[in-house]
Amino acid sequence: MSMPPLASGPEGPDALKPLLATVLDALATGTRARGGPLPAGGPRAVATRLRHAVGDVLPEHGDPTALATLVHALAEGAADPADPLCAAHLHCPPLAVATAADLAVSALNPSLDSWDQAPAASELEALVTRTLAAQAGMADALVTTGGTEANHLALLLARETHGPTLRLVCGANAHHSLPRAAWLLGLPEPAIIPTPTGTLDPTALTHTLTTLPGPLLVAATAGTTDAGLIDPLPAIAALTTSHGARLHIDAAYGGGLLFSDHHRHLLTGLHTAHTVTLDLHKLGWQPVAAGLLAARDADDLTALHHHADYLNADDDTEAGLPDLLGRSLRTTRRPDALKIAVTLKTLGRSGLGALVDHVCAHAHELADLITAHPGLELHAPPTISTVLFRPTGATDDTVAEIRRRLLTHGHAVLGRARLDGRLWLKATLLNPHTHPHDLATLLDLVEGNTPR
């Protein structure tokens, strides 16, 4: 048996060229076979097709057609975030330039747990994290796998600063990862403030901060997952300052507004937080994963310092080799900063800001279409790029059934959100290539699947 070629090294690029052609062809044929935003038939049909295509995952003898077969099968059975009718989640279509950069990372395979495994990548990560931290008014940032890990780190750093009795205070609109992180870290039961209007009410927060003993960590949200709403950040910041509480802002969704001159004012007050969660595989159009935790005080990050002699021996560090272990809770980790850096430098702030403006404009266009439609009801004007709506007079069961019908037939991918005691269809618009006729088609599909 001949030895299979490697992706890196002198022969790596030549070995990859024919394989990349195979992958691109299989992506194209799989996408055509799917024919829409989602494979038709529902979970059982998709599983049956995939199992039939894959066959024996570990055959006795290798199959030279495996790459083409499996990529085709995955594409045929994928939810395609680049399809304008795939609009359920904060699941963006990645930019081609970012995806190409990600290929280079996979080929070179640096690991950011020691400098000698990632000499250039470690310096690039430092440049990228400081640049993005500065956009949020912060001193430094860590790369994470997304908002969940960033929120976890925010609570961990707060605990190390304020002690194990630290209590999380957040609205019912907060991301589920925040109370979960409190549980994982052994912190006291979080104080959850009701948010009947969808955002954290300063009056209710004042009562909680006045009655609860400290230390307290208030978590505000800039871009909720259900409706894309933004808590009143300046008022919350003033309250946390006056009550001596720590402030974390989860801007995993809304953080991308920082790139836009037209929308960054919605994040006024962000710089007052002690820590901020950012996530560029949402309004940053990066392949998963591309999250960050930014800190106003870079010294807070020293709590993550860890020593392993084979990775950051004291004499190596004293000799000038950078110590990377304190930049993450993970040991082996890929340099996700490359795709981010390539995107930032290729598009610039104005280019990224234009993409943000496009999707926000699409949300307002969709809201206008819903308002003008006699058979549809709009929840509220969009704050970022999420639009909630439902057929007029429909029951919650009907709303849920419409969504499942569209999924099962592979016609459209819409999310669901419960606000004001009712269930709403959710369109999260992250595709800057969406056209007005795509929005009209989406509403036509909802109308066509509404029981009479």
Side-chain angles (χ1 to χ4, degrees), residues 288-299:
V288 174
L292 296 103
L293 176 72
R296 189 174 70 190
D297 185 349
D299 288 342

Side-chain angles (χ1 to χ4, degrees), residues 265-279:
H265 71 277
L266 295 172
L267 298 181
T268 298
L270 191 72
H271 70 284
T272 62
H274 294 83
T275 50
V276 173
T277 288
L278 303 170
D279 196 343

Side-chain angles (χ1 to χ4, degrees), residues 7-67:
S8 56
E11 290 80 32
D14 287 335
L16 280 172
K17 284 178 183 177
L19 298 175
L20 291 180
T22 297
V23 167
L24 295 176
D25 287 344
L27 286 172
T29 60
T31 299
R32 286 196 296 270
R34 184 182 67 244
L38 195 76
R44 183 173 297 180
V46 172
T48 298
R49 286 196 295 268
L50 181 73
R51 289 171 182 165
H52 177 74
V54 173
D56 189 351
V57 176
L58 184 60
E60 182 63 30
H61 302 288
D63 178 1
T65 68
L67 179 62

Side-chain angles (χ1 to χ4, degrees), residues 105-134:
V105 165
S106 293
L108 294 169
N109 208 29
S111 180
L112 282 160
D113 47 316
S114 65
W115 181 88
D116 56 352
Q117 298 175 82
S122 59
E123 182 63 21
L124 181 64
E125 181 178 88
L127 292 172
V128 169
T129 51
R130 288 171 192 154
T131 297
L132 289 172

